[in-house]
Amino acid sequence: MTRTLYLLCSAAPPVFDVARVIEDAQARGWDVCLGLSPTAADWLAEGTDGLAALTGHPVRSRYKRPADPDVWPSADAILVAPATFNTVNGWALGLTDRFVVGVAAEALGKGTPLAVMPCVNTAFVRHPQFEQSLAVLRGAGVRVLYGDDGFTPHPPGQGAARPYPWTLALDAVDDLVRGDFQERGR
């Protein structure tokens, strides 16, 4: 039973753990395709060949050209994590100029199970758009892993008080597809 997970990452410090997260997801039976925001792609530029070898798929940070073939299999679930302030708001507002946001936005219309775990500091969460964006995503059926149920923001410049809860994020996508996968007989 192969399940395909799109792991879509923004440029926040937990993105540096992505190889371990991919390995953890693979141990759970996921075929992982890694998508990165432009800045996350820049941060991980020296390691993208290794990440592509680890996943068996190209690491993507840009849209393909219209005539180019799809290089990833269809997603059974999508995890957007770490999701920055910009990613969360862009996705909720439907601003799809960046690949990771566009994939997540289109997945809403396809009915693909989605989870998002923000990675923001307390200054960003005080902006009124952030809570509105989380509400929009929840209302669209996205599993939002934030606060007591996920990531807890920290003060600016102080780093997280506890490690980014990647295991919780992987548990969430497992939960999202468990019933659906059994129904489809995969």
Side-chain angles (χ1 to χ4, degrees):
M1 170 171 80
T2 301
R3 308 174 299 172
T4 300
L5 174 67
Y6 288 4
L7 176 58
L8 306 177
C9 303
S10 303
V15 77
F16 291 109
D17 296 327
V18 75
R20 179 188 54 80
V21 175
I22 291 167
E23 290 170 341
D24 290 351
Q26 290 170 331
R28 293 170 179 238
W30 288 105
D31 176 25
V32 181
C33 297
L34 178 62
L36 302 170
S37 70
T39 303
D42 181 57
W43 287 7
L44 299 177
E46 293 177 12
T48 54
D49 288 342
L51 293 168
L54 179 61
T55 64
H57 302 285
V59 176
R60 297 186 59 197
S61 60
R62 296 180 207 175
Y63 289 107
K64 69 178 187 68
R65 292 183 187 128
D68 291 346
D70 286 331
V71 294
W72 286 358
S74 297
D76 292 295
I78 296 177
L79 173 60
V80 183
T84 59
F85 179 79
N86 193 36
T87 295
V88 168
N89 291 328
W91 183 12
L93 294 169
L95 305 175
T96 61
D97 57 325
R98 289 175 295 126
F99 173 73
V100 296
V101 174
V103 170
E106 185 177 39
L108 287 171
K110 291 180 174 179
T112 305
L114 288 146
V116 61
M117 187 157 54
C119 185
V120 294
N121 65 43
T122 55
F124 281 121
V125 302
R126 287 185 188 111
H127 190 286
Q129 185 59 51
F130 186 72
E131 285 296 332
Q132 291 175 3
S133 292
L134 292 180
V136 166
L137 295 175
R138 281 186 189 105
V142 176
R143 173 92 184 267
V144 176
L145 305 164
Y146 175 73
D148 293 338
D149 297 328
F151 176 79
T152 304
H154 55 277
Q158 293 187 13
R162 62 183 178 121
Y164 192 72
W166 281 110
T167 300
L168 184 63
L170 292 175
D171 289 347
V173 292
D174 284 340
D175 290 346
L176 285 172
V177 300
R178 187 169 288 121
D180 185 46
F181 240 73
Q182 291 171 351
E183 287 173 19
R184 288 188 284 167
R186 288 194 183 178

